[in-house]
Amino acid sequence: MRITISPQRLSSEFVRKVEEISGQTLPSCYQCGKCSAGCPLSFAMDLLPNQIIRLVQLGLEEDIANSKTIWLCASCLTCSVRCPRGVDLAKVMEALRLLTLRKNVNYVEPSRIPQEVLAELPQLALVSGFRKFTA
Amino acid sequence: MKLSYYPGCTLKTKSKNLEDSAIASMNALGVELVELPRWYCCGTVYSLADDDLMRQLAPLRNLIRVKGEGNSKVVTLCSFCYNTLKRANLMMKDDQAKRDALNSFLDEEEDYQGEVEVVHLLEMLRDEIGWEAISERVKLSLGGLKLAPYYGCTLLRPQEAAIDQVERPTVLQDLLKTLGAEVVDFPFATECCGSFQIVSNPDFVLDCSWNILSSALRWGAEALVASCPLCDYNLSQRQGELVQGYSEFRQIPILYFTQLLALSLGLEPEVCCFDLNYIDPRPLLKSKGLLR
Ligand code: SF4
Ligand code: SF4
């Protein structure tokens, strides 16, 4: 994959926003990959968690938007408790989701969930799912 | 002893088996769990956004209510509620800017500073009652039952909310050993079950269940022991598909630790509401002579 990086990208509004919402210092990540090694959902992800944070560092927001990874994260916090650099990657994932959700775009459409699924799911599944995936 | 207790939504609907068995067991151990009046949903997940305080209001108002009742401690059963209330409380204690912003938004008379202590029932059993006192009350030893303790995420992460060592917890296994059970140590005890992805990507949750359950089976477990209603659902609900998909897979029931506690304390099996377990554990318990 060929990527272009530029000073404008590195200090873009996108990077600033992710840092602001997540409260994380993005350059702290030194790409050891420990987050991805322990991620229980990595098998389903097209980009690994450490690749996501690298792309954020470089301001490459289109590549993140084209990936499903941030929507597969389960906020399990395994990455966050293991990062040797103290980066709370789960918060970075949340910030990235919120950049979309705050444009009033839903990832999960509650009205499209079938009635029988709604009736069967435990309450905490629905509330947490809607908190994570709806605007 | 009386203790303020926060149930949360799921315990009042799908997971009565967790609530009823816990209340009865604690009664037998001399602790009355008094439900917090007018509680409401904590939001289930702690907001991971630094700039969004609105989502802290739900857990916070519950905590203020605990304090308003004159209590300095609140006990939770659901792992999700525990985590959300615990973290909101820590935020009020440790983050002055957020504390001030939230206090000036809320019109409660007195500012809240994180005075209430949020504990999970497992911490109560370990730290307040103690394994020794519990073992003295055991009427029915769970000997012969091979149980895999399953912690999931929210009892252990992040570090500041963990009820035990993050990577190598022992509290559940210590309880089960106290009750006489044989504990199976398996490598997926703290692995995520897929959590709220059940709403958006249920097939990936099934893959997560397979990883956890097949490991527990390989290590010889006859049942998994949990404390979270979402883990319970995710790990149980589609085992039929795993049985069909993998010849080596066998159904394995999930039990709440409180159900085993109640059984072992010699309480009436009715308080365990075994009929609410997604996979009926009664045949297994009967085969071990633990249930008539
Ligand atoms: S574990 Fe931390 S430092 Fe290592 S790649 Fe992941 S975020 Fe970066
Ligand atoms: S919080 Fe998300 S990215 Fe981190 S390990 Fe869990 S699922 Fe993976």
Side-chain angles (χ1 to χ4, degrees):
Chain A
M1 180 168 72
R2 191 182 148 132
I3 58 170
T4 309
I5 53 177
S6 66
Q8 290 84 349
R9 286 262 179 179
L10 294 177
S11 55
S12 66
E13 175 67 6
F14 166 71
V15 177
R16 198 190 61 73
K17 267 277 171 207
V18 175
E19 287 205 303
E20 181 183 300
I21 301 174
S22 69
Q24 301 304 298
T25 313
L26 297 170
S28 292
C29 165
Y30 57 13
Q31 286 294 296
C32 66
K34 192 165 179 135
C35 47
S36 303
C39 174
L41 271 307
S42 63
F43 70 88
M45 294 171 173
D46 47 6
L47 290 173
L48 294 172
N50 73 297
Q51 294 177 300
I52 292 289
I53 186 163
R54 186 67 181 136
L55 290 167
V56 188
Q57 286 176 336
L58 298 175
L60 296 170
E61 59 180 306
E62 298 82 3
D63 295 270
I64 295 171
N66 290 331
S67 153
K68 284 215 164 63
T69 293
I70 60 170
W71 303 106
L72 296 173
C73 164
S75 296
C76 74
L77 269 55
T78 307
C79 52
S80 307
V81 295
R82 290 183 184 170
C83 174
R85 297 285 293 152
V87 177
D88 194 334
L89 185 49
K91 284 191 157 184
V92 175
M93 293 284 186
E94 181 111 323
L96 291 166
R97 286 187 295 267
L98 286 171
L99 286 181
T100 298
L101 299 174
R102 286 181 184 177
K103 291 181 193 140
N104 209 15
V105 177
N106 282 351
Y107 174 68
V108 164
E109 207 49 70
S111 60
R112 289 213 201 104
I113 300 179
Q115 269 306 317
E116 48 308 346
V117 176
L118 280 181
E120 196 195 90
L121 282 174
Q123 283 58 34
L124 80 174
L126 290 168
V127 177
S128 55
F130 294 160
R131 282 226 150 172
K132 291 287 177 178
F133 298 135
T134 63
Chain B
M1 180 176 24
K2 281 188 184 193
L3 257 185
S4 177
Y5 153 62
Y6 175 87
C9 310
T10 313
L11 266 64
K12 293 294 179 189
T13 48
K14 305 272 180 188
S15 298
K16 273 307 255 181
N17 45 355
L18 174 53
E19 176 171 57
D20 286 4
S21 55
I23 290 177
S25 300
M26 293 313 282
N27 260 333
L29 293 169
V31 180
E32 188 189 342
L33 296 180
V34 183
E35 186 171 322
L36 179 66
R38 298 188 304 122
W39 61 269
Y40 52 82
C41 177
C42 65
T44 70
V45 276
Y46 180 76
S47 168
L48 298 177
D50 243 25
D51 65 344
D52 178 4
L53 293 180
M54 284 311 269
R55 294 201 164 181
Q56 306 295 356
L57 291 175
L60 184 52
R61 285 216 160 99
N62 283 305
L63 293 165
I64 290 173
R65 216 154 265 177
V66 175
K67 186 182 155 188
E69 292 286 311
N71 289 309
S72 58
K73 193 185 259 185
V74 63
V75 62
T76 56
L77 294 172
C78 165
S79 307
F80 264 52
C81 298
Y82 163 74
N83 193 276
T84 305
L85 293 173
K86 177 87 178 183
R87 294 191 75 183
N89 201 47
L90 286 171
M91 178 202 66
M92 290 305 280
K93 241 190 219 162
D94 302 337
D95 190 325
Q96 193 186 343
K98 287 183 183 152
R99 175 171 69 226
D100 291 348
L102 282 159
N103 274 326
S104 66
F105 177 83
L106 291 166
D107 45 14
E108 263 73 9
E109 300 283 305
E110 212 184 309
D111 280 1
Y112 184 75
Q113 323 268 355
E115 299 90 327
V116 168
E117 193 191 348
V118 180
V119 295
H120 187 266
L121 189 71
L122 279 168
E123 289 176 291
M124 272 296 299
L125 293 170
R126 178 191 60 198
D127 304 333
E128 304 272 329
I129 298 176
W131 305 136
E132 215 181 294
I134 296 174
S135 77
E136 284 164 13
R137 301 284 186 87
V138 168
K139 294 219 175 75
L140 183 65
S141 167
L142 304 182
L145 199 54
K146 295 197 188 80
L147 301 172
Y150 176 72
Y151 296 84
C153 304
T154 48
L155 293 180
L156 299 173
R157 297 185 283 270
Q159 173 84 56
E160 60 270 23
I163 66 165
D164 203 347
Q165 292 177 70
V166 172
E167 299 283 356
R168 201 82 178 109
T170 62
V171 58
L172 259 179
Q173 90 178 52
D174 292 343
L175 171 66
L176 298 174
K177 277 188 186 156
T178 303
L179 305 182
E182 202 176 308
V183 173
V184 173
D185 189 12
F186 79 121
F188 284 81
T190 67
E191 184 95 350
C192 176
C193 69
S195 188
F196 49 77
Q197 289 292 346
I198 192 69
V199 176
S200 46
N201 292 292
D203 289 342
F204 293 145
V205 173
L206 189 62
D207 291 327
C208 292
S209 311
W210 159 252
N211 290 334
I212 295 162
L213 297 170
S214 63
S215 167
L217 284 168
R218 229 177 1 259
W219 289 80
E222 294 167 320
L224 244 70
V225 182
S227 110
C228 172
L230 187 49
C231 298
D232 179 26
Y233 180 81
N234 284 352
L235 291 173
S236 307
Q237 206 270 338
R238 290 171 70 187
Q239 283 196 23
E241 287 171 60
L242 295 177
V243 171
Q244 289 188 336
Y246 302 91
S247 58
E248 70 273 33
F249 189 83
R250 278 179 286 108
Q251 256 202 355
I252 174 166
I254 319 291
L255 286 149
Y256 287 120
F257 68 97
T258 51
Q259 293 179 300
L260 292 160
L261 178 61
L263 202 61
S264 184
L265 292 173
L267 305 183
E268 287 302 316
E270 285 68 45
V271 302
C272 298
C273 312
F274 287 123
D275 53 313
L276 291 178
N277 289 52
Y278 297 100
I279 293 166
D280 192 348
R282 285 170 290 194
L284 171 70
L285 297 172
K286 280 179 189 160
S287 76
K288 301 283 173 181
L290 299 170
L291 208 59
R292 265 173 293 136

Short mmCIF file of all heavy atoms in Angstrom, two decimals, chain B residues 150 186 188-189 191-194 207-217 224 235:
data_model
loop_
_atom_site.label_atom_id
_atom_site.label_comp_id
_atom_site.label_asym_id
_atom_site.label_seq_id
_atom_site.Cartn_x
_atom_site.Cartn_y
_atom_site.Cartn_z
N TYR B 150 -15.55 -17.71 34.93
CA TYR B 150 -15.44 -16.84 33.76
C TYR B 150 -15.71 -15.40 34.20
O TYR B 150 -16.81 -15.08 34.67
CB TYR B 150 -16.41 -17.28 32.66
CG TYR B 150 -16.39 -16.35 31.48
CD1 TYR B 150 -15.29 -16.33 30.62
CD2 TYR B 150 -17.41 -15.44 31.27
CE1 TYR B 150 -15.23 -15.43 29.57
CE2 TYR B 150 -17.37 -14.55 30.21
CZ TYR B 150 -16.27 -14.55 29.37
OH TYR B 150 -16.20 -13.65 28.34
N PHE B 186 -8.72 -22.24 33.02
CA PHE B 186 -8.63 -22.26 31.55
C PHE B 186 -8.23 -20.88 31.03
O PHE B 186 -8.51 -19.86 31.65
CB PHE B 186 -9.93 -22.79 30.93
CG PHE B 186 -11.06 -21.78 30.86
CD1 PHE B 186 -11.61 -21.43 29.64
CD2 PHE B 186 -11.56 -21.19 32.00
CE1 PHE B 186 -12.65 -20.52 29.56
CE2 PHE B 186 -12.60 -20.28 31.94
CZ PHE B 186 -13.14 -19.93 30.71
N PHE B 188 -9.13 -18.76 28.80
CA PHE B 188 -10.02 -17.72 28.28
C PHE B 188 -10.91 -17.09 29.37
O PHE B 188 -11.91 -16.47 29.05
CB PHE B 188 -10.88 -18.29 27.15
CG PHE B 188 -10.14 -18.45 25.85
CD1 PHE B 188 -9.32 -19.53 25.63
CD2 PHE B 188 -10.24 -17.48 24.86
CE1 PHE B 188 -8.61 -19.67 24.44
CE2 PHE B 188 -9.54 -17.60 23.67
CZ PHE B 188 -8.72 -18.70 23.46
N ALA B 189 -10.50 -17.25 30.63
CA ALA B 189 -11.36 -16.77 31.73
C ALA B 189 -11.60 -15.27 31.71
O ALA B 189 -12.61 -14.80 32.22
CB ALA B 189 -10.74 -17.18 33.07
N GLU B 191 -11.33 -13.38 28.76
CA GLU B 191 -11.52 -12.97 27.37
C GLU B 191 -12.94 -12.42 27.15
O GLU B 191 -13.89 -12.92 27.73
CB GLU B 191 -11.31 -14.20 26.47
CG GLU B 191 -11.37 -13.93 24.99
CD GLU B 191 -10.01 -13.69 24.37
OE1 GLU B 191 -9.02 -13.54 25.13
OE2 GLU B 191 -9.93 -13.65 23.13
N CYS B 192 -13.05 -11.41 26.30
CA CYS B 192 -14.36 -10.79 26.02
C CYS B 192 -15.26 -11.75 25.23
O CYS B 192 -14.83 -12.43 24.31
CB CYS B 192 -14.14 -9.52 25.22
SG CYS B 192 -15.64 -8.69 24.70
N CYS B 193 -16.55 -11.77 25.61
CA CYS B 193 -17.52 -12.64 24.94
C CYS B 193 -18.09 -12.00 23.66
O CYS B 193 -18.93 -12.59 23.00
CB CYS B 193 -18.69 -12.93 25.88
SG CYS B 193 -19.73 -11.48 26.21
N GLY B 194 -17.64 -10.78 23.36
CA GLY B 194 -18.18 -10.07 22.20
C GLY B 194 -19.11 -8.94 22.60
O GLY B 194 -19.44 -8.07 21.80
N ASP B 207 -18.42 -16.57 17.22
CA ASP B 207 -17.01 -17.00 17.14
C ASP B 207 -16.30 -16.80 18.48
O ASP B 207 -15.50 -17.65 18.90
CB ASP B 207 -16.27 -16.20 16.05
CG ASP B 207 -16.76 -16.55 14.65
OD1 ASP B 207 -17.12 -17.72 14.43
OD2 ASP B 207 -16.77 -15.66 13.78
N CYS B 208 -16.58 -15.67 19.14
CA CYS B 208 -15.97 -15.43 20.46
C CYS B 208 -16.43 -16.51 21.45
O CYS B 208 -15.63 -17.03 22.22
CB CYS B 208 -16.37 -14.05 20.99
SG CYS B 208 -15.67 -12.67 20.08
N SER B 209 -17.73 -16.84 21.41
CA SER B 209 -18.24 -17.88 22.32
C SER B 209 -17.54 -19.21 22.08
O SER B 209 -17.19 -19.91 23.02
CB SER B 209 -19.74 -18.14 22.11
OG SER B 209 -20.45 -16.98 22.09
N TRP B 210 -17.38 -19.52 20.83
CA TRP B 210 -16.71 -20.78 20.48
C TRP B 210 -15.31 -20.82 21.10
O TRP B 210 -14.92 -21.82 21.70
CB TRP B 210 -16.66 -20.94 18.96
CG TRP B 210 -15.60 -21.90 18.49
CD1 TRP B 210 -14.44 -21.57 17.86
CD2 TRP B 210 -15.57 -23.32 18.65
NE1 TRP B 210 -13.71 -22.70 17.61
CE2 TRP B 210 -14.36 -23.79 18.08
CE3 TRP B 210 -16.45 -24.25 19.22
CZ2 TRP B 210 -14.01 -25.13 18.06
CZ3 TRP B 210 -16.09 -25.60 19.20
CH2 TRP B 210 -14.90 -26.03 18.62
N ASN B 211 -14.55 -19.73 20.96
CA ASN B 211 -13.19 -19.70 21.53
C ASN B 211 -13.23 -19.98 23.03
O ASN B 211 -12.45 -20.77 23.55
CB ASN B 211 -12.55 -18.32 21.31
CG ASN B 211 -12.21 -18.08 19.85
OD1 ASN B 211 -12.00 -19.02 19.09
ND2 ASN B 211 -12.16 -16.82 19.46
N ILE B 212 -14.15 -19.32 23.72
CA ILE B 212 -14.20 -19.42 25.18
C ILE B 212 -14.70 -20.79 25.62
O ILE B 212 -14.09 -21.49 26.42
CB ILE B 212 -15.10 -18.30 25.75
CG1 ILE B 212 -14.47 -16.93 25.46
CG2 ILE B 212 -15.34 -18.49 27.24
CD1 ILE B 212 -15.43 -15.76 25.57
N LEU B 213 -15.83 -21.20 25.03
CA LEU B 213 -16.47 -22.44 25.49
C LEU B 213 -15.66 -23.68 25.11
O LEU B 213 -15.54 -24.61 25.91
CB LEU B 213 -17.89 -22.55 24.90
CG LEU B 213 -18.87 -21.45 25.33
CD1 LEU B 213 -20.14 -21.52 24.49
CD2 LEU B 213 -19.19 -21.56 26.81
N SER B 214 -15.10 -23.67 23.91
CA SER B 214 -14.36 -24.87 23.50
C SER B 214 -13.10 -25.01 24.36
O SER B 214 -12.69 -26.13 24.69
CB SER B 214 -14.01 -24.84 22.01
OG SER B 214 -13.17 -23.76 21.72
N SER B 215 -12.52 -23.89 24.75
CA SER B 215 -11.36 -23.97 25.64
C SER B 215 -11.78 -24.53 27.00
O SER B 215 -11.13 -25.43 27.54
CB SER B 215 -10.74 -22.57 25.81
OG SER B 215 -9.84 -22.57 26.88
N ALA B 216 -12.89 -24.02 27.54
CA ALA B 216 -13.35 -24.51 28.85
C ALA B 216 -13.62 -26.02 28.79
O ALA B 216 -13.26 -26.77 29.70
CB ALA B 216 -14.61 -23.76 29.28
N LEU B 217 -14.23 -26.47 27.69
CA LEU B 217 -14.52 -27.90 27.54
C LEU B 217 -13.23 -28.71 27.46
O LEU B 217 -13.09 -29.76 28.09
CB LEU B 217 -15.35 -28.15 26.28
CG LEU B 217 -16.84 -27.77 26.35
CD1 LEU B 217 -17.46 -27.78 24.96
CD2 LEU B 217 -17.59 -28.72 27.29
N LEU B 224 -19.79 -23.25 33.13
CA LEU B 224 -19.08 -21.99 33.31
C LEU B 224 -19.79 -21.20 34.40
O LEU B 224 -21.01 -21.28 34.54
CB LEU B 224 -19.12 -21.18 32.01
CG LEU B 224 -17.77 -20.91 31.33
CD1 LEU B 224 -17.26 -22.23 30.76
CD2 LEU B 224 -17.91 -19.88 30.23
N LEU B 235 -22.93 -16.31 25.70
CA LEU B 235 -22.26 -17.61 25.72
C LEU B 235 -23.25 -18.77 25.62
O LEU B 235 -22.87 -19.88 25.27
CB LEU B 235 -21.43 -17.76 27.00
CG LEU B 235 -20.19 -16.86 27.10
CD1 LEU B 235 -19.57 -16.98 28.48
CD2 LEU B 235 -19.16 -17.22 26.04
#
